[in-house]
Amino acid sequence: MYKLVIQGGKPLKGTLKVSGSKNSSLPILFASILADTPITLNNTPQLSDISTTLRLLSSMGSEWILESDSSLFVDSSTLTNLTADYDLVKTMRASILVLGPMLAKYGKAKVSLPGGCAIGTRPVNLHLQALEKLGANIEVRNGYIYAKTKGLIGTEIHFEQISVTATENIIMAATLAKGLTTISNAAQEPEISDLCQCLNKMGAKITGIGTSVLNIKGVKNLNGIQYSVCPDRIESATYLVAAAITRGAVTVKNTNPQVMHAVLEKLIEIGANIKTDKNSITLDMEGKRPKAVNIKTSTYPNFPTDMQAQFTALNTIAEGHSVITENIFENRFMHIPELIRMGADLTLEGNTVVCKGVKSLTGAHLMATDLRASASLVLAGLAAKGTTTIERVYHLDRGYETIEEKLKLLGADIERVQD
């Protein structure tokens, strides 16, 4: 088991390159099931969630080769096992994304229910109801989803609530369905647009990309292609907040400012000087203490839930009071007790946190609980006086590629240590 040890109090300065998007890579890897020939996926990050996805695909008969540090060759053209077992699915809820592609191409699938999640329930009923509307026969028994169809038929699907993974699952299923499928109240995240663009390159016919209404005209087959996933906007934003919380100046490259407006607006509101061009963002605090900002999470293009914990950490040392409201997941404040142990003045009231900024935090021994909470603790440790030790950093490795090495490039005093 590894832990991170941080000596805080140093302003971060420098330049780093952002990795490819985890939340784009995962659905595209599952989309390889739809293709009759192999795909090559470029700009893929080396993360534990990617490894889990490849193990799951391998268990079903896929073959893959890591051709370079960020290039994956994946052949899922002929699966020999149409079962996604609990042992792998339980470790990553995105595994539910095997369901739509398997059902569309092979007419049947057996997929374990994902089970619990640290940050909330995230039920799969939206996925199942939409697949039934497409013509699937679905039973849930003994912890597994049993799905079969004699052929999916396009239809109109309206999601009662916005769901990223449900949108992705139904998009993939509809690509091989007969006729036209219209999805309304679809999630609009950039990663969904990336998936759609990849599928269209494979031969799918998807229109309305980037909007809440998607039209998918089914085709008979899809082909493998070479595709580069989009940059990871959450990683980009996390490193920008790292610069802000330490009163530093950082440039992130290989990013897309156009999909980060909500976050950049809040960073400007805290007093940061922001400059952008096509593929990079520079944040400079000019040595100033950040100002407190109120946060309300929502679906894209509004402020992302995946940045709530990081901005909470930022607000702990900001000048003034702030209110942080979490509207997406019901249990996404597990970082609050750990930040309080560092001297933060935080009061949790239901789905809202009231924060009174303090001048400085103090290093402490901390326990990571989930991916983004872990990132917030790293940010707090970078800003704190003294030593911060963070246990259970395997959560970080799910979504941040070599985070300590990238932070070292910016001057952070951070080490990964084995217990």
Side-chain angles (χ1 to χ4, degrees):
M1 196 76 73
Y2 287 94
K3 58 187 178 183
L4 290 178
V5 180
I6 305 169
Q7 304 295 331
K10 297 183 178 181
L12 299 189
K13 295 182 180 180
T15 301
L16 61 79
K17 183 180 178 182
V18 173
S19 300
S21 169
K22 173 185 85 94
N23 290 337
S24 182
S25 298
L26 296 180
I28 292 175
L29 285 172
F30 288 123
S32 70
I33 295 170
L34 296 163
D36 291 342
T37 51
I39 71 168
T40 297
L41 193 58
N42 299 323
N43 200 34
T44 52
Q46 294 187 43
L47 303 169
S48 60
D49 274 9
I50 300 294
S51 299
T52 298
T53 300
L54 293 173
R55 288 200 303 274
L56 177 56
L57 289 171
S58 294
S59 75
M60 296 188 295
S62 296
E63 296 180 355
W64 60 272
I65 299 170
L66 183 63
E67 294 185 325
S68 69
D69 287 346
S70 62
S71 182
L72 272 171
F73 171 91
V74 183
D75 186 358
S76 302
S77 58
T78 306
L79 299 189
T80 55
N81 172 30
L82 299 180
T83 299
D85 283 320
Y86 172 73
D87 286 344
L88 284 170
V89 174
K90 69 179 180 181
T91 64
M92 188 183 69
R93 289 192 59 88
S95 301
I96 191 68
L97 292 175
V98 300
L99 182 58
M102 278 202 294
L103 193 57
K105 187 170 184 181
Y106 296 98
K108 62 179 180 178
K110 177 185 175 184
V111 180
S112 171
L113 287 168
C117 178
I119 62 173
T121 54
R122 297 200 274 188
V124 299
N125 61 302
L126 294 175
H127 303 243
L128 306 188
Q129 290 166 1
L131 288 171
E132 285 179 329
K133 288 199 70 176
L134 285 168
N137 185 318
I138 294 176
E139 294 182 32
V140 179
R141 62 180 189 271
N142 305 120
Y144 277 83
I145 301 164
Y146 293 80
K148 60 182 179 180
T149 181
K150 292 182 180 179
L152 298 178
I153 307 294
T155 187
E156 292 187 5
I157 294 169
H158 175 79
F159 286 123
E160 292 182 0
Q161 64 188 81
I162 296 173
S163 167
V164 171
T165 53
T167 299
E168 291 168 339
N169 230 343
I170 304 311
I171 288 170
M172 289 189 282
T175 58
L176 297 182
K178 185 177 180 180
L180 179 68
T181 299
T182 299
I183 303 173
S184 57
N185 202 30
Q188 301 175 58
E189 271 67 10
E191 296 79 17
I192 291 176
S193 297
D194 208 29
L195 170 64
C196 290
Q197 288 160 4
C198 178
L199 288 167
N200 276 354
K201 193 172 181 182
M202 293 165 65
K205 295 182 178 180
I206 305 170
T207 58
I209 297 173
T211 74
S212 63
V213 180
L214 296 169
N215 291 296
I216 304 110
K217 186 178 180 181
V219 297
K220 290 184 177 180
N221 65 286
L222 297 176
N223 297 306
I225 43 88
Q226 183 165 315
Y227 190 80
S228 291
V229 301
C230 65
D232 196 310
R233 62 192 171 100
I234 303 302
E235 185 193 16
S236 300
T238 299
Y239 289 121
L240 293 174
V241 174
I245 201 171
T246 60
R247 308 189 190 188
V250 166
T251 297
V252 292
K253 293 188 173 182
N254 186 40
T255 191
N256 181 6
Q258 296 302 313
V259 299
M260 294 176 59
H261 288 306
V263 168
L264 295 180
E265 285 173 4
K266 288 298 178 182
L267 288 171
I268 292 170
E269 194 177 332
I270 71 164
N273 184 1
I274 300 285
K275 294 182 180 178
T276 65
D277 63 25
K278 184 178 179 181
N279 299 307
S280 72
I281 305 170
T282 298
L283 179 147
D284 190 351
M285 286 304 295
E286 300 174 342
K288 298 178 295 185
R289 181 184 179 189
K291 299 174 183 177
V293 290
N294 295 329
I295 298 292
K296 290 184 179 180
T297 67
S298 186
T299 53
Y300 187 85
N302 300 305
F303 192 89
T305 180
D306 279 353
M307 284 304 301
Q308 176 262 112
Q310 298 91 312
F311 267 80
T312 300
L314 178 61
N315 273 325
T316 63
I317 54 85
E319 183 181 351
H321 292 66
S322 58
V323 177
I324 303 106
T325 305
E326 175 56 58
N327 293 311
I328 304 298
F329 294 117
E330 70 272 20
N331 194 27
R332 205 163 199 178
F333 282 131
M334 289 183 288
H335 46 290
I336 299 302
E338 301 299 287
L339 293 172
I340 290 173
R341 294 184 64 243
M342 302 179 74
D345 189 340
L346 299 166
T347 303
L348 179 59
E349 301 172 357
N351 70 329
T352 297
V353 170
V354 178
C355 176
K356 180 181 178 181
V358 296
K359 288 186 177 180
S360 63
L361 300 174
T362 303
H365 205 115
L366 308 173
M367 188 75 72
T369 53
D370 65 73
L371 172 56
R372 305 307 174 185
S374 304
S376 76
L377 301 184
V378 172
L379 298 180
L382 292 170
K385 294 180 179 179
T387 304
T388 297
T389 302
I390 304 172
E391 304 275 2
R392 295 168 61 181
V393 296
Y394 56 83
H395 290 292
L396 274 170
D397 297 333
R398 291 186 51 227
Y400 293 93
E401 185 175 25
T402 59
I403 187 170
E404 71 277 10
E405 298 302 322
K406 288 188 177 181
L407 288 170
K408 283 181 183 179
L409 292 174
L410 304 177
D413 187 342
I414 180 171
E415 296 292 340
R416 181 176 293 243
V417 179
Q418 190 165 14
D419 286 337

